Amino acid sequence: MYVDKKLSGVAAVQTLSRVNRIAPNKTSTLIIDFVNKKEEIREAFEPYYTETYLTGKTDYHKLYDLMENIYDFDLFYEDQVNEFYKSYHDGVPQATLHNLLDIPIQKFEKLDKEYKVQFKKKIRKYQSVYSFMSQLLPFSDLRLEKLFIYLKFLSKKLPTINEPLPYNVLEDVDMDSYKIDTRDEGTKITLDDGEGGLDPIIIIDVQYKPDEEEKLSIILDKLNEMFKTDFQESDKLILKQLADGIRGNEELNTKAQKNKKENLRAVFDDYFNDELMSVRKNNKQFFSKINSNSQLRNELKNYLLDLLYEDQAEKV
């Protein structure tokens, strides 16, 4: 198994445990992890090693709140859910089931992006909570099961919100850039004996937050508006490279954790200059636009400093 993203908690346990599945002629397992440290993986597995208990009570009534929230979007009604559930159990063709979802799909496409994101997050939360709790508690209210089946099909048919990366960009991803660090090769991750406590499921209200790409688009739009520039969508990849370099600087992150934004602003210019120079070689036109206008340059620098502190806030 190759791991190229951050894993933590139950996601780490579920993902890495897949290598234990049996298969013909399988005699051993191997995991190559490019991202996670062994201490982080040990911390994820520790609660499940021996005996596990629940630290609190899960309030299943919150499931009804989620159901009500989903219906509040007015994309479909309970009668439509009942009709779909009956057709599903009657074994009608898949094409017929998909036709029953056309109206909510059309309504979904007319929503603003903010509400699309909220709706998708709420139905994923409902599916997750119901899947978990249905294994523990006998539900006598068939409405919960009906909605679960309906959302299971609807979620697969909902259109994506963000445009996927074009094929030529995906082709440019260079797997050779991964660096293999063998310092921990062959070492074992040992787990301590003892009980592990798991927190109960907490159902919280889902708030909309702009995603990474949207934040970068907003920055470019603001710069274009303020300085009459012509930054394009293609420049967003260069901006992302610049932002990733700043946010990936460990020394800068340490200073951001220990200092207020206004205090760090005095030394941030040096880090910004270093990253700007790093993108200069392959993106001279982008570099020229930034470096030839001191006001634009300072505005971009402030936006990136804000992004750095937003990341720090999310880690807390």
Side-chain angles (χ1 to χ4, degrees):
M1 176 185 288
Y2 293 92
V3 181
D4 64 350
K5 66 179 182 180
K6 271 288 184 184
L7 293 174
S8 62
V10 68
V13 176
Q14 289 177 335
T15 301
L16 300 181
S17 295
R18 288 173 187 158
V19 296
N20 289 329
R21 294 174 180 172
I22 59 174
N25 303 318
K26 179 180 177 181
T27 58
S28 62
T29 62
L30 175 65
I31 298 174
I32 299 179
D33 193 331
F34 294 99
V35 179
N36 304 282
K37 297 178 180 178
K38 64 178 183 180
E39 292 79 11
E40 296 168 340
I41 299 302
R42 181 192 296 115
E43 184 179 346
F45 273 82
E46 200 82 62
Y48 305 93
Y49 181 51
T50 52
E51 186 173 336
T52 305
Y53 62 91
L54 200 60
T55 60
K57 179 180 176 183
T58 299
D59 184 5
Y60 70 88
H61 289 99
K62 293 292 185 180
L63 201 54
Y64 286 96
D65 293 337
L66 268 178
M67 181 171 67
E68 186 177 336
N69 293 156
I70 291 169
Y71 277 121
D72 284 343
F73 281 85
D74 288 331
L75 298 185
F76 55 84
Y77 304 102
E78 195 167 350
D79 289 345
Q80 292 170 275
V81 174
N82 291 336
E83 180 186 1
F84 184 92
Y85 184 78
K86 183 179 184 303
S87 299
Y88 172 77
H89 274 281
D90 287 345
V92 303
Q94 287 283 321
T96 303
L97 290 177
H98 283 286
N99 288 338
L100 293 174
L101 299 172
D102 286 343
I103 293 177
I105 293 295
Q106 292 169 8
K107 290 182 177 180
F108 176 83
E109 290 176 336
K110 294 177 181 178
L111 293 176
D112 292 337
K113 181 176 181 179
E114 176 179 349
Y115 290 105
K116 287 179 180 178
V117 172
Q118 286 186 16
F119 180 73
K120 279 197 166 188
K121 286 186 176 181
K122 284 185 184 294
I123 65 175
R124 281 200 300 266
K125 189 67 175 178
Y126 182 91
Q127 290 174 295
S128 174
V129 174
Y130 182 83
S131 296
F132 172 74
M133 298 186 69
S134 61
Q135 300 177 56
L136 306 176
L137 300 170
F139 287 114
S140 58
D141 191 344
L142 190 57
R143 292 181 304 159
L144 299 172
E145 171 72 11
K146 288 179 178 179
L147 182 60
F148 175 76
I149 296 295
Y150 186 82
L151 294 178
K152 181 180 177 181
F153 281 82
L154 180 63
S155 62
K156 294 177 181 178
K157 195 174 179 182
L158 288 174
T160 56
I161 298 174
N162 295 312
E163 291 295 327
L165 287 172
Y167 180 72
N168 63 322
V169 174
L170 296 175
E171 268 194 326
D172 288 340
V173 176
D174 182 11
M175 287 298 294
D176 292 335
S177 63
Y178 280 105
K179 178 184 177 182
I180 299 178
D181 187 341
T182 59
R183 283 176 296 180
D184 289 334
E185 184 177 8
T187 60
K188 293 183 178 180
I189 297 178
T190 56
L191 300 174
D192 297 329
D193 293 332
E195 297 180 342
L198 296 179
D199 294 329
I201 291 179
I202 300 174
I203 303 173
I204 59 174
D205 189 26
V206 180
Q207 298 296 327
Y208 172 76
K209 289 184 178 179
D211 59 22
E212 172 75 8
E213 287 197 12
E214 187 177 357
K215 288 179 181 178
L216 298 178
S217 293
I218 291 172
I219 290 175
L220 291 180
D221 288 344
K222 286 182 177 179
L223 293 177
N224 283 338
E225 183 179 349
M226 293 173 67
F227 300 100
K228 308 303 179 186
T229 47
D230 59 345
F231 289 111
Q232 306 294 322
E233 277 297 296
S234 57
D235 292 316
K236 189 163 61 178
L237 291 174
I238 308 171
L239 181 58
K240 184 178 188 308
Q241 182 183 343
L242 184 60
D244 287 347
I246 288 172
R247 292 182 298 188
N249 188 305
E250 292 186 10
E251 180 182 313
L252 181 59
N253 272 278
T254 301
K255 291 182 178 180
Q257 291 169 8
K258 297 179 180 180
N259 294 276
K260 293 181 179 180
K261 187 192 298 186
E262 293 307 314
N263 294 338
L264 185 64
R265 196 182 298 276
V267 297
F268 183 69
D269 196 55
D270 292 336
Y271 295 98
F272 176 77
N273 283 339
D274 290 343
E275 293 303 326
L276 190 59
M277 292 301 295
S278 71
V279 303
R280 177 186 180 181
K281 181 178 179 181
N282 297 320
N283 307 284
K284 292 182 179 178
Q285 189 175 2
F286 179 88
F287 175 84
S288 178
K289 287 181 184 178
I290 303 299
N291 218 40
S292 62
N293 188 325
S294 59
Q295 288 183 315
L296 187 152
R297 182 182 175 284
N298 287 332
E299 197 68 30
L300 176 60
K301 183 177 65 175
N302 290 335
Y303 284 139
L304 294 178
L305 181 60
D306 290 340
L307 281 183
L308 176 67
Y309 274 86
E310 283 179 20
D311 281 358
Q312 294 297 329
E314 290 175 3
K315 293 176 183 178
V316 176

